[in-house]
Amino acid sequence: MKLLVHAQSDQNQIYVFYGETPKAKCYGYMELNQDGNMIALYNKYGLLMPGSILNGMLMPVSGKLFDKFGPRLVIVPGLFLIAISLWLFAGIDSDTTQGSVLFNHILLFLGMSFVVMLAQTTGFNQLPRHQVPHGTAIYNTLQQIAGGIGIALFVGIMSSGANRYLHHSLAPTAMHERTQSMVSGLQTVFWIEFILAILILVLGWFIKKPPEHN
């Protein structure tokens, strides 16, 4: 789950890019009027496309590094890059530029290119060959469930953070305050994701090279 934002209160608009499920990506652009009502919502892939292209280009490279050095020395640096990108996203505010969002997104996908497929491969390599189909089925099922739960959970946290900001605001109906409430909710989400990334980074040091099965 990734939630990215670029807000410009002086132009009465806010960009919200968020969400990646195992089978779909929900990157979007939302424009608000002075009353805070949505007047436009449409996909905007151009800003986030470089990170996705880089991710695809580095897949073969990460595979070769995986075969040469093993999973730990490849996955752990990738997790470190992901943690750094989430830490940068946690500092977003209404003055964050599109260039900053683009850089952070590229850094995030750079780390993911060294983690996602390699971690999956390492997990499957732990299984005897005759159990790989069962492991694949379980993985695909849990991936769908975790994707749905993750989006619902983090969108709920974002909404809760935004409502909490407005509850303490002196002008909760003002456009600027609504924009800041969205930013506050996103910051809460990214700090939680950053903490989870640190925990996963620590666990990454315990990854071992899987045994070879005949």
Side-chain angles (χ1 to χ4, degrees):
M1 175 63 179
K2 297 181 290 298
L3 293 171
L4 321 178
V5 65
H6 171 65
Q8 294 179 330
S9 58
D10 57 334
Q11 299 180 10
N12 295 324
Q13 61 184 5
I14 180 171
Y15 301 79
V16 179
F17 302 94
Y18 77 95
E20 180 177 352
T21 65
K23 299 299 182 183
K25 295 180 180 179
C26 310
Y27 297 133
Y29 165 84
M30 181 171 63
E31 186 174 355
L32 308 177
N33 61 15
Q34 292 183 356
D35 297 326
N37 298 317
M38 184 176 67
I39 59 178
L41 177 63
Y42 52 88
N43 291 328
K44 185 174 182 181
Y45 294 94
L47 181 62
L48 305 182
M49 186 177 294
S52 300
I53 294 176
L54 180 64
N55 179 260
M57 293 176 59
L58 288 178
M59 285 295 182
V61 177
S62 63
K64 292 181 180 180
L65 294 175
F66 177 85
D67 294 334
K68 184 175 181 179
F69 299 106
R72 182 190 301 171
L73 294 181
V74 181
I75 293 177
V76 169
L79 290 172
F80 179 77
L81 292 177
I82 291 175
I84 292 296
S85 68
L86 292 174
W87 176 70
L88 292 174
F89 275 127
I92 59 175
D93 53 31
S94 59
D95 297 323
T96 300
T97 64
Q98 290 188 5
S100 297
V101 173
L102 175 61
F103 172 79
N104 295 347
H105 185 261
I106 291 177
L107 187 63
L108 178 64
F109 267 57
L110 177 62
M112 289 179 61
S113 65
F114 293 101
V115 173
V116 179
M117 295 302 298
L118 303 188
Q120 177 182 340
T121 300
T122 302
F124 286 152
N125 287 344
Q126 302 288 339
L127 300 174
R129 291 184 183 274
H130 68 279
Q131 291 185 356
V132 170
H134 303 290
T136 302
I138 294 173
Y139 172 81
N140 290 334
T141 301
L142 293 179
Q143 188 181 46
Q144 298 292 333
I145 296 174
I149 294 176
I151 289 179
L153 176 63
F154 284 112
V155 169
I157 293 174
M158 181 187 68
S159 299
S160 177
N163 292 333
R164 184 170 59 251
Y165 179 91
L166 291 175
H167 179 73
H168 294 90
S169 174
L170 298 178
T173 59
M175 177 60 196
H176 177 73
E177 288 298 281
R178 292 197 178 193
T179 300
Q180 292 299 324
S181 70
M182 179 72 74
V183 172
S184 177
L186 288 170
Q187 288 175 338
T188 302
V189 168
F190 278 120
W191 277 119
I192 294 175
E193 290 186 347
F194 172 69
I195 293 173
L196 292 176
I198 293 298
L199 294 177
I200 297 173
L201 177 61
V202 173
L203 294 176
W205 287 101
F206 297 95
I207 296 177
K208 297 181 180 179
K209 189 173 183 179
E212 298 194 7
H213 303 287
N214 295 325

